Amino acid sequence: MSDGALAAPMRLRPRPKYLALALTSVQRAVAYRGTTLLNLLSSLIWVAMLYYLWRTVFAEGARIEGFAWWEMRTYILVSYAVNALLSFYSLARMTNAIRTGEVAAELVRPVDYLGAQLAQAFGAAVVEGALSSGIALLLGVLLLGISPPASPLAALLFFASVWLGFLVKFLVGYLVALLCFWTKNAIGLIWAQTALVNLFSGALIPLAFFPEWLRALALATPFSGIVYTPASIYLGRLDGLGALGAMGMQVLWAGALWLLARLLWGPSVRALDVQGG
Amino acid sequence: MPLIEAHDLTKRFRLPVKSPGLAGAVKHLLRPRHEEKLAVDGIDLTIEAGESVAYVGPNGAGKSTTVKMLTGIVVPSSGKVRVGGLVPHKRRIENARNIGVVFGQRTQLWWDLPVQESLRLLGDIYEVPEDRFGRNLREVTELLELEPLLRTPARQLSLGQRMRCDLAASLLHGPSVLYLDEPTIGLDVAVKERIRQFIKRVNAEREVTVLLTSHDLADIEGLCSRLVMIDKGRIAFDGPLQEIRERFGRERVIHLILHEAHPGGVAIATDALRDLATVAIDQPEPHRLSVQFDSAHATAGAIAGRLMGVLPVNDLRLDEPSIERIIRQLYEGELRFAEEGAAP
Amino acid sequence: MPGRLVRMARLYWRLQLVHLRTHLEYEADFWIGVVGVALTHGAGLVFVWTVFQRVPKVAGWTLWEIAFLYALAIVPRGLVELLADGQWRLRALVNRGEFDRLLVRPVSPALQLVTQMSSIHGFGSVLLGAVVLARALDHLDIAWGPGQWGFLALSIAGGATLIASVNFATNCVAFWDPSANSAFPFLVQQSLEFAKFPVSLYGRLIQALLTWVLPFAFVSYYPGTVLLGRPGGDRAIGYAAPLAGPAVALLAGLVWRRGLMRYQGTGH
Ligand SMILES: Nc1ncnc2c1ncn2[C@@H]1O[C@H](COP(=O)(O)OP(=O)(O)O)[C@@H](O)[C@H]1O
Ligand SMILES: [Mg+2]
């Protein structure tokens, strides 16, 4: 591109395509902030329920598995903010594209489908994350009382772990979306997925509170990396090698799910052909 | 007593005025601002049972709004309306039993159901007795040739097929009035013609009163005997279709495209058409010529034939007057043709 | 009058049959919907169960008492999703002017609206709720006879009426602002989640809201306290709880009527 005269009114080079996709998605999330906000508010209902329930419980027994009431409060808000990334709607958007046949339009573009979906999910998650952290912070400081991260290092690891968790959550969602090449009832699938994620990620309850066998089961799923790992790092319950180990698990799961997504792509697209779009 | 009576019927729509964006939405919530849109402006309309009326006007004239008030879908802002003695929006359900409605842009049918199922469901909704339902269904199926479509879901029908099914759906319960809001919009000529024939028959044989709207005068050719013309919410003309046709509908324009630029075209054409009653000859460009004439006194064929003999004609097109033009002429009181037509 | 009701019931059945058939046609979707929603409510139950692994009672409530209320909240909701979920289509219908179609037919448009949609996942809620209810009754040591059965049935019917009416009324926002997005009715519907636990656990403000503004406390908490024979909760309110449904239905009817008069259609 040495011909400055010709290129002058235009952009010298197009934006990198995945960045462009992510930015478009940010724009969309901002444009539909009503829906984005609604989604965050409706999960606040559960935050309120959990808050009151645990308040009652902690008023009777002072500590559970080493959690004090102030830690539990913080856990509720942190897990809310973390779990808000990649909301129900972002997941629904992915599956909807497949259900409505919009996917056909995406398939003819010169981008990798998985990469494009990730870029878009990331864009939306940035907005969702910013809003949810804002809400959690506001509530935490004004009403419920929240404590800061255990240490500056914990804060740093927490941030990294949140995005690793996001990657895992995205990949789970993506795999479920692939299932929609076969079924029409996408909403049922998303519910099932949301329920499993809520329960086993620690979004509803710290996994430490589960009975032994259930905890083992939850920790053996990729879900625990979505909320429990970052929230534990935030509270300082996981630190040093423990934190790194848990983050290693997040990376492993992300890798494994990514591979699975790649493997399932071929058969899924063939199913689309069979349905005739 | 007339079947449909409207007096000074008016509909004003209230539209919220919103500034864009979140701030605009909040501002609107705190202090709502509205602006009014006068869609139907004090019309008087009387239709007798058995009539077949064309309700014509340009887009946005207020035709659909009138139909919606007559069917009870929207509540008039002021004025009186009665259909079969009932005020439609107050006695909506009773009124609904006696009417059939077809909206050109949307369907009555259930999107995912086979047409047959939709029709049967409508039979239940309208409480049509089994035997009468069967008879009606057979009749419309035959007339509209629906047999091959009955097992198809509505979403798979073409526009023309869907319209035929919708027509059938609107008649199953034997209504005494049929409202058709732009039923031929977007259809091709052959389907249009078929639908026109069908409506005509329904009106003549079943004595169903028909009110049909259109924004295209050519659309109602030979269909209705009475024409009501509406513009900007007001009735501009109400009388026999024949009258409009005679007053304004006879003007035609032939446009000729010449093989090569022919500067003296007007003189040559004037000369060739001397004994035919042409009104004006114009040559907007060196290779274009347009001839305006009165179809009561000359035929397009005769004019084209003569001109082709004297000029190198490549192509030609015939224009009929548009509804906008007729309305303009109505307002301007241009009665030239009528006067000329009256003189021997 | 009875003739009219019979006719409405018949038509209702006819219109719902259309949906039923679609549900049964797509067998896999049916099960996915049922399992999906059962998991969603199930996750909440596992959560409750886990809490009670740690403490024997929460503010005086036992595990099975809370499970009872939880079930009382999801059964009526499931019934509404299954039998009267069409309200959610009102905004789309009004927005595109398709609501016209319901107005030119000789049947109550409310009936036509309610039957616009049926969500099969409601079946999952009802099923799960019924199982939990039965198990809870097994574990709870309460006097249970025909009177209780009757009151339970009334409560469920009343709760379903209440939920359907609230949804119906909130979706009528479409008549006032056809461009409105789904935020408002959806958020209201979501606050039904509160009814899964005893409202006495929540702060005063939320309790008052759930009693007087969005009266979801009448779905589970008030009738539940009567059935469980628990002290606390106002007895009189408890016995009258099933009436809250019809009362809200009347209000919804008023909103609906005013909305109908405002319907403007879309221009074309
Ligand atoms: N629901 C509505 N809200 C606001 N304006 C409307 C509405 N319906 C119609 N209008 C306006 O009223 C006028 C008449 O509309 P309509 O009766 O649909 O015209 P026509 O059917 O003759 O094309 C138009 O200007 C249209 O924009
Ligand atoms: Mg129109």
Side-chain angles (χ1 to χ4, degrees):
Chain A
M1 280 271 182
S2 54
D3 195 347
L6 194 142
M10 291 186 267
R11 225 191 280 275
L12 272 176
R13 220 177 272 169
R15 289 179 299 181
K17 51 193 174 190
Y18 294 103
L19 178 65
L21 281 169
L23 286 175
T24 316
S25 179
V26 168
Q27 269 170 8
R28 180 168 37 206
V30 172
Y32 291 101
R33 57 188 170 267
T35 313
T36 313
L37 212 57
L38 150 80
N39 202 44
L40 291 171
L41 287 179
S42 69
S43 29
L44 268 185
I45 289 173
W46 262 91
V47 169
M49 289 163 63
L50 292 175
Y51 173 81
Y52 284 111
L53 199 85
W54 285 121
R55 194 183 61 169
T56 320
V57 170
F58 276 90
E60 290 168 11
R63 274 175 176 271
I64 298 175
E65 291 288 325
F67 272 83
W69 174 221
W70 68 266
E71 274 182 300
M72 194 61 218
R73 278 191 323 244
T74 306
Y75 186 91
I76 293 173
L77 284 175
V78 170
S79 62
Y80 159 71
V82 172
N83 200 29
L85 299 186
L86 210 55
S87 63
F88 194 77
Y89 280 96
S90 309
L91 293 173
R93 199 195 51 74
M94 227 170 4
T95 44
N96 260 344
I98 289 174
R99 223 163 41 102
T100 57
E102 222 179 275
V103 67
E106 297 196 38
L107 288 180
V108 298
R109 297 194 185 125
V111 288
D112 172 48
Y113 192 66
L114 177 54
Q117 292 300 323
L118 178 58
Q120 291 179 34
F122 181 73
V126 167
V127 179
E128 288 166 343
L131 283 172
S132 70
S133 324
I135 294 176
L137 213 63
L138 210 67
L139 276 177
V141 172
L142 293 182
L143 279 176
L144 314 183
I146 188 177
S147 59
S151 68
L153 180 65
L156 210 68
L157 289 181
F158 167 71
F159 190 74
S161 173
V162 164
W163 289 106
L164 282 175
F166 158 79
L167 190 59
V168 171
K169 192 177 183 185
F170 161 76
L171 286 166
V172 171
Y174 180 84
L175 285 168
V176 170
L178 287 189
L179 288 182
C180 291
F181 278 106
W182 281 284
T183 171
K184 279 203 341 183
N185 193 346
I187 204 81
L189 281 177
I190 300 178
W191 271 334
Q193 169 199 354
T194 310
L196 290 177
V197 167
N198 280 344
L199 191 62
F200 290 128
S201 69
L204 274 178
I205 189 167
L207 299 184
F209 291 12
F210 277 151
E212 191 51 49
W213 61 273
L214 197 54
R215 185 184 333 159
L217 180 67
L219 287 173
T221 66
F223 305 131
S224 60
I226 298 173
V227 173
Y228 193 58
T229 303
S232 302
I233 292 176
Y234 182 99
L235 287 174
R237 300 177 71 84
L238 269 178
D239 56 3
L241 281 181
L244 289 180
M247 288 171 70
M249 279 308 286
Q250 288 181 304
V251 173
L252 278 182
W253 269 119
L257 292 171
W258 185 278
L259 215 65
L260 191 60
R262 284 268 176 248
L263 284 177
L264 281 181
W265 176 243
S268 307
V269 176
R270 247 168 278 137
L272 179 73
D273 281 345
V274 173
Q275 280 188 2
Chain B
M1 198 182 69
L3 184 68
I4 298 177
E5 268 181 296
H7 180 62
D8 201 19
L9 193 60
T10 301
K11 180 68 195 180
R12 278 184 210 92
F13 286 110
R14 250 160 65 96
L15 304 168
V17 185
K18 282 191 197 174
S19 340
L22 191 63
V26 172
K27 216 166 82 190
H28 181 74
L29 197 70
L30 297 178
R31 198 184 310 145
R33 284 206 305 131
H34 293 275
E35 95 192 344
E36 295 216 321
K37 162 99 207 166
L38 192 56
V40 172
D41 184 8
I43 61 165
D44 290 308
L45 188 64
T46 310
I47 297 175
E48 302 289 339
E51 268 194 281
S52 162
V53 178
Y55 196 53
V56 181
N59 276 320
K63 304 180 296 293
S64 298
T65 306
T66 310
V67 172
K68 285 179 192 172
M69 287 191 284
L70 295 179
T71 49
I73 292 172
V74 300
V75 181
S77 308
S78 65
K80 289 203 182 72
V81 56
R82 267 169 188 279
V83 176
L86 300 173
V87 179
H89 57 272
K90 289 199 178 135
R91 308 279 290 279
R92 224 194 42 252
I93 290 188
E94 280 143 288
N95 184 50
R97 279 188 230 286
N98 301 322
I99 65 172
V101 189
V102 175
F103 290 109
Q105 289 94 332
R106 50 178 83 116
T107 179
Q108 283 267 1
L109 307 168
W110 279 257
W111 204 235
D112 289 316
L113 290 188
V115 172
Q116 194 171 315
E117 287 290 313
S118 279
L119 296 180
R120 196 155 283 284
L121 203 47
L122 282 170
D124 287 338
I125 287 179
Y126 284 92
E127 297 177 274
V128 189
E130 267 313 306
D131 54 334
R132 195 148 68 90
F133 178 83
R135 212 168 342 113
N136 285 350
L137 183 61
R138 263 196 309 283
E139 195 179 323
V140 290
T141 306
E142 193 179 320
L143 280 177
L144 289 163
E145 293 167 47
L146 298 185
E147 189 55 46
L149 307 178
L150 286 178
R151 267 161 294 280
T152 319
R155 69 182 131 80
Q156 290 174 8
L157 297 176
S158 75
L159 195 59
Q161 292 171 332
R162 209 208 71 208
M163 183 46 62
R164 273 151 58 202
C165 296
D166 258 311
L167 267 174
S170 69
L171 287 167
L172 283 176
H173 55 290
S176 50
V177 198
L178 183 59
Y179 299 97
L180 302 151
D181 193 9
E182 311 239 7
T184 52
I185 198 162
L187 301 182
D188 64 51
V189 184
V191 182
K192 265 185 192 176
E193 181 51 31
R194 186 141 156 212
I195 285 178
R196 262 183 243 157
Q197 287 309 323
F198 177 74
I199 296 170
K200 217 169 155 174
R201 261 183 95 156
V202 167
N203 175 246
E205 291 172 14
R206 293 218 203 166
E207 291 169 358
V208 175
T209 311
V210 174
L211 179 72
L212 175 141
T213 82
S214 174
H215 67 271
D216 185 359
L217 203 52
D219 229 29
I220 53 162
E221 203 74 41
L223 183 53
C224 301
S225 47
R226 177 173 161 201
L227 179 74
V228 177
M229 206 174 260
I230 180 171
D231 181 52
K232 299 197 179 71
R234 289 171 165 277
I235 288 183
F237 174 87
D238 183 354
L241 178 59
Q242 203 53 30
E243 191 179 326
I244 278 284
R245 184 144 296 139
E246 276 167 12
R247 273 165 72 178
F248 309 106
R250 291 173 2 205
E251 182 193 293
R252 299 279 187 282
V253 182
I254 293 187
H255 300 274
L256 305 165
I257 295 172
L258 305 180
H259 181 54
E260 58 204 6
H262 216 284
V266 176
I268 297 172
T270 311
D271 193 46
L273 303 175
R274 207 167 348 145
D275 58 325
L276 288 175
T278 54
V279 175
I281 299 173
D282 187 25
Q283 191 166 19
E285 287 168 48
H287 58 278
R288 275 172 187 278
L289 201 71
S290 59
V291 181
Q292 197 181 344
F293 66 98
D294 179 345
S295 66
H297 299 283
T299 65
I303 292 174
R306 289 200 194 176
L307 291 180
M308 282 196 277
V310 294
L311 287 167
V313 177
N314 246 4
D315 201 357
L316 50 81
R317 192 181 85 231
L318 185 65
D319 266 1
E320 301 197 350
S322 70
I323 189 153
E324 283 83 0
R325 190 181 162 90
I326 290 183
I327 285 176
R328 202 161 57 235
Q329 288 179 337
L330 269 170
Y331 285 148
E332 289 165 1
E334 259 186 50
L335 300 170
R336 197 179 51 217
F337 276 128
E339 284 154 12
E340 281 175 6
Chain C
M1 214 42 183
R4 184 161 159 257
L5 282 183
V6 169
R7 180 176 122 64
M8 299 251 296
R10 265 201 45 220
L11 256 181
Y12 171 85
W13 172 241
R14 274 292 274 130
L15 291 166
Q16 288 291 43
L17 208 60
V18 176
H19 303 301
L20 188 66
R21 217 178 296 160
T22 336
H23 290 326
L24 296 178
E25 222 168 293
Y26 299 98
E27 200 184 327
D29 292 345
F30 173 92
W31 287 112
I32 291 170
V34 169
V35 170
V37 83
L39 276 175
T40 303
H41 296 313
L45 281 169
V46 172
F47 160 72
V48 173
W49 175 77
T50 308
V51 172
F52 279 92
Q53 294 299 108
R54 301 288 168 172
V55 289
K57 284 194 171 186
V58 174
W61 293 78
T62 65
L63 168 61
W64 287 108
E65 282 175 332
I66 289 196
F68 187 85
L69 286 197
Y70 198 102
L72 215 48
I74 63 178
V75 170
R77 177 176 179 171
L79 286 175
V80 172
E81 286 164 343
L82 197 60
L83 302 176
D85 220 22
Q87 304 89 300
W88 295 98
R89 300 224 46 224
L90 181 62
R91 272 167 294 121
L93 289 173
V94 169
N95 228 319
R96 300 191 212 125
E98 283 170 24
F99 190 69
D100 288 7
R101 192 177 58 205
L102 310 199
L103 290 175
V104 297
R105 294 180 183 152
V107 178
S108 144
L111 177 73
Q112 294 180 65
L113 177 62
V114 158
T115 51
Q116 288 284 313
M117 188 164 94
S118 150
S119 309
I120 192 59
H121 56 254
F123 185 66
S125 306
V126 175
L127 207 65
L128 180 70
V131 170
V132 174
L133 213 56
R135 302 280 298 136
L137 283 178
D138 259 2
H139 280 85
L140 288 166
D141 183 26
I142 46 178
W144 198 264
Q148 275 71 18
W149 278 120
F151 190 73
L152 178 66
L154 279 181
S155 306
I156 290 175
T161 312
L162 194 152
I163 296 168
S165 306
V166 169
N167 289 346
F168 203 92
T170 52
N171 274 293
C172 282
V173 68
F175 290 123
W176 278 266
D177 184 3
S179 63
N181 65 11
S182 62
F184 170 60
F186 188 76
L187 199 59
V188 170
Q189 153 99 350
Q190 278 301 302
S191 43
L192 179 56
E193 292 286 300
F194 278 120
K196 287 178 170 175
F197 299 137
V199 299
S200 56
L201 294 183
Y202 308 131
R204 280 192 182 281
L205 179 67
I206 297 182
Q207 274 185 49
L209 280 176
L210 291 174
T211 305
W212 301 113
V213 183
L214 300 171
F216 291 137
F218 290 93
V219 175
S220 60
Y221 178 68
Y222 289 119
T225 45
V226 168
L227 285 169
L228 294 171
R230 280 189 61 91
D234 196 323
R235 277 287 145 149
I237 295 188
Y239 282 114
L243 294 177
V248 176
L250 276 179
L251 287 178
L254 289 180
V255 174
W256 168 250
R257 262 167 202 234
R258 297 204 50 179
L260 270 189
M261 294 305 274
R262 291 185 57 104
Y263 178 65
Q264 302 208 324
T266 50
H268 61 82

